[in-house]
């Protein structure tokens, strides 16, 4: 069995198949598995807000420790073939940059590296490809020139192939590119950040002008429910994650003033614990879709309508809560010829007849919990397909 995509849906599917005794090759194009959840923060400083992020970490450990699952990361598809109902994926991936057989562990490459990409961990030399200048297309290769034994090859590749009687496509979704909605000022107006950038702030991986005594606004439905942007459907996840982000911030910074600009709450009943918690705070909720965010006095100013009136309000920071959109350029999907609906999400239409099953947010926006259930359901369908093959 081949599962493509190591996000919550792919992990849940692989884990379920392994539980049922099926061998799985899990293909992931990023360097690590976990999907978007590996970049998300825990939203429960004092008490758990059931965001499910830690559930993905648990699934990840389960998958990595399973003897029936082989994880292939950093892979790129070269060729796909189907013969007698079996799929064969030929892939390429970067080879380990350090030849550990040759490396004398002298540490000269670590000393020469200007970015800290080369490190010595537990006596072994490691390369963080994401922070290596040469791999990012800039000039460097200092490590290569100082290595006395020629143990470093930054651009080596290796080829591998995997086979399977069925394929689960769990390739996920992308975040809406906030730069596309020019009126909202992302990349132009200082202090305007996306909800993914807020996740990095919550994780302590980036700075933001957010804290006690500051003013922060959230603008929801960015890249969702907008025919103008070509993204008419509701992303279904941003209401809940924005609410959790705001409540977590309130817990961390009780004197942070916050306003949420919403269209309406989707996927939340008035009895929902998150809305009850919101009502117990001083966070302001405005039912309005801001028309514009521009720079004034060094920070972002939001222009919005409420009733008949138009208002201008300045903040220290504005978070754009971006929705999930389909990745319509994914080459693997093109080669598998999986059909799409008018919005670009993948459709099941007759795919199972070809041994292809879909799971998670590649079928349409879904939160982690629904992606996990969808992954398990795909595994059950695969089992039926394999049983039918045996009969
Ligand atoms: C700012 C933000 C905050 C969020 N917070 C929450 C939250 O608190 N709780 C919650 O439930 N949800 C949250 N979500 C939604 C959550 O991220 C998604 O529900 C979830 O990640 C979808 O899981 P998935 O498995 O479908 O896809 P993804 O998480 O997108 O994973 C898909 C994986 O497939 C890989 N892949 C894609 N194409 C290929 C290919 N061709 N070959 C190999 N690998 C491939 C990708 O690299 C990726 O690792 C948030 C979303 C955003 C934007
Ligand atoms: S808030 Fe989210 S990550 Fe934190 S403990 Fe609860 S479910 Fe887990
Ligand atoms: S190429 Fe430069 S940045 Fe990359 S590991 Fe070598 S010394 Fe560091
Ligand atoms: S310079 Fe070469 S031999 Fe020395 S630690 Fe680095 S890779 Fe190993």
């Amino acid at each position: 069995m081949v599962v493509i995509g190591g996000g919550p849906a792919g992990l849940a599917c692989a884990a379920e198949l392994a539980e049922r005794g099926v061998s799985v090759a899990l293909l992931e194009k990023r360097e690590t598995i976990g999907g978007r959840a590996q970049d998300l923060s825990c939203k429960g400083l004092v008490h758990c807000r059931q965001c499910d992020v830690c559930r993905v970490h648990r699934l990840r450990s389960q998958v990595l420790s399973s003897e029936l699952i082989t994880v292939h990361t950093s892979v790129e598809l070269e060729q796909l073939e189907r013969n007698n109902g079996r799929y064969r994926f030929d892939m390429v991936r970067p080879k380990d940059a350090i030849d550990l057989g040759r490396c004398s562990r002298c540490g000269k490459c670590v000393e020469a590296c200007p970015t800290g990409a080369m490190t010595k961990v537990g006596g072994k030399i490691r390369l963080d490809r994401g922070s290596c200048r040469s791999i990012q297309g800039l000039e460097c290769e200092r490590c290569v020139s100082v290595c006395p034994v020629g143990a470093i090859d930054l651009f080596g590749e290796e080829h591998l192939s995997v086979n399977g009687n069925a394929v689960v496509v769990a390739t996920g979704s992308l975040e809406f590119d906030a730069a596309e909605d020019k009126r909202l000022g992302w990349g132009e107006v200082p202090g305007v950040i996306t909800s993914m950038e807020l996740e990095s702030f919550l994780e302590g991986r980036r700075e933001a002008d957010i804290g006690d005594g500051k003013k922060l606004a959230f603008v929801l439905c960015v890249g969702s429910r907008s025919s103008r942007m070509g993204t008419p459907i509701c992303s279904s996840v941003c209401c809940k994650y924005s609410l959790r982000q705001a409540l977590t911030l309130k817990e961390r910074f009780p004197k942070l003033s916050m306003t949420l600009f919403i269209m309406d709450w989707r996927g939340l009943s008035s009895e929902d614990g998150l809305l009850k918690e919101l009502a117990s705070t001083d966070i302001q909720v405005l039912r309005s879709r801001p028309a514009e965010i521009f720079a004034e006095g060094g920070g972002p100013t939001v222009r919005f309508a409420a009733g008949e009136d138009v208002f201008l309000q300045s903040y220290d920071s504005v978070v754009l809560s971006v929705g999930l959109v389909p990745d319509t350029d994914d080459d693997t999907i093109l080669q598998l010829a999986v059909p799409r609906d008018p919005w670009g999400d993948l459709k099941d239409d007759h795919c199972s007849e070809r041994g292809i099953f879909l799971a998670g947010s590649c079928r349409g926006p879904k939160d982690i919990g629904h992606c996990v259930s969808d992954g398990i359901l795909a595994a059950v369908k695969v089992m039926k397909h394999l049983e039918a093959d045996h009969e």
Side-chain angles (χ1 to χ4, degrees), residues 41-44 47-55:
S41 62
C42 165
K43 314 298 185 312
H47 66 95
C48 172
R49 293 198 175 86
Q50 294 167 356
C51 70
D52 277 340
V53 169
C54 60
R55 190 175 178 190

Side-chain angles (χ1 to χ4, degrees), residues 109-110 112-118 126-129 131-135 138-144 152 154-155:
C109 54
V110 179
C113 180
T115 64
M118 207 58 103
R126 292 255 171 85
L127 171 69
D128 172 14
R129 304 181 70 84
S131 37
C132 169
R133 285 177 58 83
S134 295
I135 290 174
L138 302 169
E139 272 188 32
C140 188
E141 299 210 16
R142 289 188 205 178
C143 53
V144 179
I152 303 175
L154 295 169
F155 301 105

